[in-house]
Amino acid sequence: DAFVESLNDAFPTTIVGLWICATALYQTTRSELISKAIGTDPRSAPFTVALRSVDCFCVVRNAVADIYTRIWCCWEAFLANELKLLVPAKLKVVGPQNFPEVVDIEEAQASSKDDLEMILNVIREEPGMKERVNHAVNEIKMVRDELGMTQTFKNFGRDNERRIADLEVVVDDLQFENTGLRTQLQDLKAVVLELSARVAGLEGKEKKARA
């Protein structure tokens, strides 16, 4: 129930297709079947392939366990950063922030020891990757919490509302017929509307929390 509620918070007005990593792969106690589905290189694992095809990255936290101590969650956060998904228009973080501590990828855990070593080996092989992974994970973990995003989204929305208005004036004054620019304006409007809906939902949750 908490998971579904968090997803409803993330997408209050939009019907979307979701690729949920925890349910997308066959779950079994037979580790050899899971390993076969994942493969031997995290750079070509189903999680990685899926992230390369998405327009939005949604993190759903929970009140029981810190997802940022799990190796696959850390890998996905790193990939999201590499794929430029950690920006307000593409990132959604929902669920309680019960674990504010800074994490280190070297201390991550996994159900499969083979998975843990596979991912850590890839990270250790490339100079600077460990630092990039830790930066991406802790950026999401420490900064982008559900209720704390409200003011950020308010500011982002107001800034872009003004930007849209200014750009529309320029376009109209110049009688600019560039369809690409007009399409970008429409996309920006859609983002602002989505953020406004999210702010309204988050403000409602804040009022309930204070009540």
Side-chain angles (χ1 to χ4, degrees), residues 66 68-69 99-105 107 134-135 137-139 141-142:
D66 185 358
Y68 303 101
T69 62
F99 307 96
E101 299 83 7
V102 174
V103 295
D104 185 342
I105 190 63
E107 299 175 359
N134 282 336
H135 171 77
V137 172
N138 286 296
E139 181 181 10
K141 182 182 176 73
M142 302 299 291

Side-chain angles (χ1 to χ4, degrees), residues 15-34:
I15 298 176
V16 296
L18 298 175
W19 195 94
I20 303 173
C21 60
T23 60
L25 297 181
Y26 176 57
Q27 301 296 314
T28 175
T29 56
R30 295 178 59 184
S31 58
E32 70 274 12
L33 295 180
I34 296 177

Side-chain angles (χ1 to χ4, degrees), residues 67-120:
I67 62 173
Y68 303 101
T69 62
R70 309 301 297 178
I71 192 74
W72 278 111
C73 294
C74 294
W75 176 256
E76 291 164 10
F78 163 70
L79 286 176
N81 188 51
E82 297 290 292
L83 296 169
K84 312 300 183 186
L85 294 171
L86 303 192
V87 295
K90 297 182 178 182
L91 173 67
K92 298 177 186 292
V93 180
V94 289
Q97 188 184 32
N98 290 4
F99 307 96
E101 299 83 7
V102 174
V103 295
D104 185 342
I105 190 63
E106 291 282 358
E107 299 175 359
Q109 304 170 8
S111 300
S112 167
K113 182 179 179 181
D114 291 339
D115 285 3
L116 181 64
E117 289 302 317
M118 173 180 66
I119 295 175
L120 286 178

Side-chain angles (χ1 to χ4, degrees), residues 25-194:
L25 297 181
Y26 176 57
Q27 301 296 314
T28 175
T29 56
R30 295 178 59 184
S31 58
E32 70 274 12
L33 295 180
I34 296 177
S35 297
K36 183 178 180 180
I38 291 175
T40 58
D41 190 333
R43 290 165 292 196
S44 58
F47 308 107
T48 304
V49 175
L51 273 176
R52 287 177 177 151
S53 304
V54 303
D55 299 317
C56 172
F57 182 62
C58 181
V59 176
V60 181
R61 297 180 301 219
N62 67 84
V64 178
D66 185 358
I67 62 173
Y68 303 101
T69 62
R70 309 301 297 178
I71 192 74
W72 278 111
C73 294
C74 294
W75 176 256
E76 291 164 10
F78 163 70
L79 286 176
N81 188 51
E82 297 290 292
L83 296 169
K84 312 300 183 186
L85 294 171
L86 303 192
V87 295
K90 297 182 178 182
L91 173 67
K92 298 177 186 292
V93 180
V94 289
Q97 188 184 32
N98 290 4
F99 307 96
E101 299 83 7
V102 174
V103 295
D104 185 342
I105 190 63
E106 291 282 358
E107 299 175 359
Q109 304 170 8
S111 300
S112 167
K113 182 179 179 181
D114 291 339
D115 285 3
L116 181 64
E117 289 302 317
M118 173 180 66
I119 295 175
L120 286 178
N121 286 339
V122 169
I123 292 172
R124 291 164 179 161
E125 285 174 2
E126 181 177 324
M129 182 181 281
K130 175 185 172 180
E131 289 72 21
R132 300 207 312 275
V133 172
N134 282 336
H135 171 77
V137 172
N138 286 296
E139 181 181 10
I140 301 176
K141 182 182 176 73
M142 302 299 291
V143 178
R144 299 185 173 145
D145 63 282
E146 177 186 3
L147 298 180
M149 290 172 75
T150 304
Q151 189 59 47
T152 300
F153 282 159
K154 282 183 180 178
N155 295 337
F156 183 81
R158 281 197 295 265
D159 290 344
N160 281 289
E161 284 173 355
R162 289 192 292 267
R163 191 177 304 167
I164 288 171
D166 292 343
L167 287 172
E168 287 183 325
V169 168
V170 171
V171 170
D172 289 339
D173 286 348
L174 295 177
Q175 296 184 345
F176 203 95
E177 296 299 328
N178 187 310
T179 56
L181 180 57
R182 290 189 182 280
T183 299
Q184 291 179 34
L185 285 174
Q186 292 301 318
D187 290 343
L188 189 54
K189 283 184 178 180
V191 170
V192 172
L193 289 174
E194 174 71 16

